[in-house]
Amino acid sequence: MEAVAAASSTQELRELEIRFLGKQGVLTGLLRTIGQLPAEEKPRFGQQVNAAKARVQAAIDERERELKRLENAARFERERIDPTMPGRRWRVGRRHVLQATADRIKAVLGGLGFEYLESPELELFRYNFEALNYPPDHPAMDEQDTFYIDDRYLLRTQCTAIQGRVFERRKPPLRVFTVGRTYRNENVDRTHGHTFHQVDCFMVDEGVSMAHLKGTLGQFARSMFGSDVRVRFRPDFFPFVEPGVDYAISCPFCGGSGCAVCKGSGWIELGGAGLVHPNILEAYGIDTDRYSGFAFGLGVERIPMMSYGIDDLRHFLENDLRFLEQFPS
Amino acid sequence: MKFPFAMLRDFVETRLGPAEVGDLLTMAGFELEGIDQVEGDTVLDIKVTPNRGDGLSVFGLSREVLAKDAEARPTDLYERACRRFPMPDDGDEGETGAFATVTIQTEDCPRYACRMFRNVPQGDSPEWIQRRLRQAGMRPISLLVDLTNYVMLELGQPLHAFDLDTLAGPEIVVRRARAGEKLTTLDGTEHELAPGQMMICDAEKPVAVAGVMGGLDTEVTPATMNVLLESANFRNTTVRRTRKQLGLNTEASYRFERSVDPEGVVAALNRFAELLETVDGGSSRVYGVIDRYPGRLERHPIRLTVGRTCRLLGLDVTLDQCRNYLARLGMDVTEADGDLLVVPPSWRPDIVREDDLIEEVGRVHGYERIPEVLPQGSTPQGGVSGVYARIDLLKDALLRAGCTQVVSHSLVGTSPLDDPSAERIGPKNPVSADAAWLRSSVLPCLADAARRNGAKDLWLFEEGRTFAMGAGGPVECRRVGIYAQGALLPEHWRKGDPGRADFFAVKGILEELLSFLGLQGEWSAGSDPRLHPTRQASLLLGGKPAGILGAIHPDVARDAGLPEDCVLAELDVDLIAQTPAEPPRFRAVSRNPAVRRDVAILIDKGVPYAEVERAVAEAAGEVLERQWLFDVFEGQGIPEGKHSLAIALQLRKLGGNFTDEEANQVRDRVVAALESLGATLR
């Protein structure tokens, strides 16, 4: 028993176990001598030897557990690492902040039943202006300084240019949206660029009203900016809608009490909206006694600018990773 | 449109202050853009949308305030403006008619009127008029000019004062310019006039650009004694074309382009006379009005149904509310068979159909009363599907491969990485030289992004549109590009080389991309001049060129300021997204163990590995689960022009184990096939 307690490794213990309890072991050997004993002593002797075997086995097991614990402790100490050292960073692709924003918009509008489509950036004058009810030689076109490519083609100034292309091919009911790039011939500064991105979303069905527009915008805004956001309409003019409105959301940062983001007004203007102008529907053979539609647009850059406090539009297309890596992918 | 608040108070009695009126106008569609204190009064700056020329006057905005603010009351001035400032001599040309004849020779001048004044006072206008003009952002000049501007500010009708004594002959003709005619406008610029431009002429020559600017020779001066005052109406499109051609933009043309009320023409002449009298106490002599009005517009009633109004606005309004709102905006409203017949006023040419009236009802009723309701009815397929879903998958594949997305300008300058096979196009009116072209490739954009970030240890991709001249005109297509340079993984304290960007690292990404999209591409040696001549490939999809991949050409690298060891790739996204995926077919999964056999051969370097791979696959047959190249060696011990390839074969049967002998038989078949390609076993 002393030898068991003194064993300093599981290996030594294994040897003791073999010496005393193994097939050739001391105690096993004792048991074999039982045949030479008188019959009346046999039971007692057997019991004593077995009890001794059990005691030795228990002592060995106990010592083994102890040694295992000690050996493990030593091993774990040897294998210790500093978990605060930096991890092996995998190379993980990051989405551009505009892509991440567009993807959120796509998820929300897709979830509201709108189908995602795209149309050309290099657009015909017809779809960018004429098809959208711009009268010829009208100052409304002055608000959108246009890059002209030739007599027919221009760089679209608004994603609304998709509407004519859709109305040409599809019949109501339809719910469509797009996210894309637009161009205006403007000098570049912190808040202006010649290239930026827009969402355009529209539906045409029986009985579509300004209330449906407000409901959809409300749902969209709450999904994008938070569950307390409210929508406000203000009359405005765009040739392709009648009535036309400019819509704002209650400031999600201050709840409408006024802060730096909303410049103290409690409201943040997001874009233009309205009911699709009946002239447009009629031009595409859609019966305006039966059908009506709504449309709204907004700028993509505005959303991360507002959400993250970005103060210069130029960052978006300059691709400085020190900028891009600041935002969730 | 800027004006001092006091001018609005001339027209409207309201308990609202300037900021509240600004809010009210904003909610009526006339956005308050600025509110400032100037010379002791509050100045409102109101944005007027291009369809509402009637809002470019204090009188016009007063009308909106009265429509929206039920407690506001019109002043006497407002009432008189509505009655168009009646004068006793209305309808009588008097001596003005005796002096001048007015002939309109164009359809683009619906109305032309003028009034003659003799013995007018010289000098400056009274201080209160000068102050109000300054507050409105205009420069006071002299009594006569200031009065024309002041009346325009009040009523929106541009006026022009000619020095009567400088006009040739007793004639005013409104006509198109003739070829070769010239006119020096009062800003001192001489213009060559083009046929089609609308002019005011005296008996001999043009004296003013109609609706835009007067001529220098006939303008009023401090010496002017006698005045012919013009008040006219010109077609908006003609004024716009003319002033754009001449490069002019004035308060008058701004208003005419947005339409001016033709019924207000004489009212402005009368208001001028009235104001002049308050200044000079009646010392100047005022003569009658010549009024030519060939273009009087008959306005027809528009039927407004309350049902459609409620349906489109999504709220309940009554017939009485509709009638009341529209009447407050100056419309002539009568009831007919439960509907309203509405004649819009002369100052609202923007109202032409029922939906325009519905907007007016909604605007006055208040958009804040519209409830939020989600659309009902049948929902077509929503979300992202088809080609657009494939494009999203393509971008996902690159993100998963560890490439960071960049998004760049499509308007660019010139780069050695422009697509050499494209005829580039660009805007006729570029904003600057570095944005003079539309990109023909995304590679120049990736190069810019790379340089901006130091060009080292970067794995970038960009997806976007590119542009070029096609056979039938300009065309646009979608492309995706990759820039890869340097370490696969960032430097780390645990050593071990993770590898660097090279041709095969990027090819691996593209192979994963194709497999992710369920596509099978074919690679062959490429010939793009931007890439290293012997380290590039072109990708074919269904036999069509789908992209390029390669190390950058060292000369191009130098010219583009990029490291020589960067790798570029560019794929045709339209083709990839439109190529349907191979539909996967289920294959039974064997429960039997696989066996591996390795084959090492010597073969001419000129034999493409794709042929080796195909030969292996054909020779091994169905039991070949996978093959891969695990070693390539050349140099010592290998004959010139050859290399050693080591290929692993993973063999597995469905429902049975391979014996050694069976596996060796497969290997022998493979070896025989490779030998027929000229390989020898090592």
Side-chain angles (χ1 to χ4, degrees), chain B residues 86-139:
Chain B
M87 300 239 317
D89 65 358
D90 279 349
D92 179 7
E93 292 185 1
E95 285 186 45
T96 309
F99 165 77
T101 61
V102 171
T103 319
I104 298 176
Q105 296 178 349
T106 163
E107 285 184 352
D108 292 341
C109 176
R111 189 173 192 184
Y112 192 99
C114 53
R115 191 189 267 287
M116 190 167 69
F117 298 84
R118 285 192 186 278
N119 217 13
V120 292
Q122 278 90 38
D124 294 334
S125 55
E127 176 51 31
W128 67 270
I129 287 186
Q130 291 193 36
R131 189 179 62 245
R132 285 179 167 194
L133 287 176
R134 281 194 302 270
Q135 286 166 331
M138 294 182 193
R139 194 163 53 90

Side-chain angles (χ1 to χ4, degrees), chain B residues 20-265:
Chain B
E20 293 160 308
V21 167
D23 282 348
L24 181 140
L25 284 170
T26 296
M27 294 314 289
F30 296 89
E31 190 185 359
L32 178 69
E33 288 211 302
I35 180 160
D36 275 312
Q37 290 299 315
V38 182
E39 294 189 52
D41 194 5
T42 308
V43 171
L44 298 182
D45 188 359
I46 301 290
K47 182 183 170 191
V48 178
T49 55
N51 59 327
R52 291 299 302 271
D54 64 302
L56 291 169
S57 69
V58 178
F59 175 48
L61 291 176
S62 301
R63 199 183 289 121
E64 294 292 323
V65 172
L66 288 163
K68 283 290 277 185
D69 175 9
E71 288 175 34
R73 292 288 166 265
T75 62
D76 173 58
L77 181 65
Y78 183 91
E79 302 281 8
R80 286 195 300 123
C82 289
R83 294 198 309 275
R84 309 208 161 98
F85 296 104
M87 300 239 317
D89 65 358
D90 279 349
D92 179 7
E93 292 185 1
E95 285 186 45
T96 309
F99 165 77
T101 61
V102 171
T103 319
I104 298 176
Q105 296 178 349
T106 163
E107 285 184 352
D108 292 341
C109 176
R111 189 173 192 184
Y112 192 99
C114 53
R115 191 189 267 287
M116 190 167 69
F117 298 84
R118 285 192 186 278
N119 217 13
V120 292
Q122 278 90 38
D124 294 334
S125 55
E127 176 51 31
W128 67 270
I129 287 186
Q130 291 193 36
R131 189 179 62 245
R132 285 179 167 194
L133 287 176
R134 281 194 302 270
Q135 286 166 331
M138 294 182 193
R139 194 163 53 90
I141 292 167
S142 66
L143 173 64
L144 295 171
V145 176
D146 290 358
L147 282 181
T148 61
N149 284 332
Y150 189 79
V151 171
M152 175 174 71
L153 197 58
E154 276 194 332
L155 305 179
Q157 170 67 50
L159 295 174
H160 182 67
F162 292 104
D163 183 329
L164 192 60
D165 303 315
T166 62
L167 291 175
E171 240 186 295
I172 290 288
V173 183
V174 187
R175 63 163 168 86
R176 305 285 184 172
R178 298 178 185 125
E181 282 185 318
K182 287 182 185 169
L183 173 65
T184 302
T185 44
L186 51 79
D187 59 353
T189 316
E190 188 185 60
H191 300 276
E192 295 263 358
L193 303 178
Q197 295 171 347
M198 193 168 28
M199 296 293 143
I200 311 300
C201 307
D202 63 12
E204 294 168 1
K205 60 187 184 301
V207 291
V209 183
V212 185
M213 194 182 271
L216 185 66
D217 296 342
T218 53
E219 75 169 325
V220 289
T221 65
T224 298
M225 296 286 294
N226 307 310
V227 164
L228 190 71
L229 184 69
E230 164 198 295
S231 179
N233 191 272
F234 303 109
R235 192 85 67 213
N236 54 348
T237 51
T238 313
V239 171
R240 180 178 159 82
R241 269 197 300 274
T242 304
R243 75 109 182 126
K244 281 188 111 177
Q245 286 164 6
L246 297 178
L248 296 169
N249 198 358
T250 61
E251 293 272 357
S253 68
Y254 190 83
R255 284 174 173 77
F256 281 123
E257 277 184 58
R258 285 154 180 77
S259 292
V260 174
D261 179 10
E263 293 296 320
V265 160

Side-chain angles (χ1 to χ4, degrees), chain A residues 16-29 32 53:
Chain A
L16 284 172
E17 188 176 10
I18 292 165
R19 208 168 105 209
F20 289 98
L21 304 174
K23 282 193 176 117
Q24 309 299 322
V26 178
L27 287 171
T28 320
R32 275 202 207 99
K53 269 181 89 171

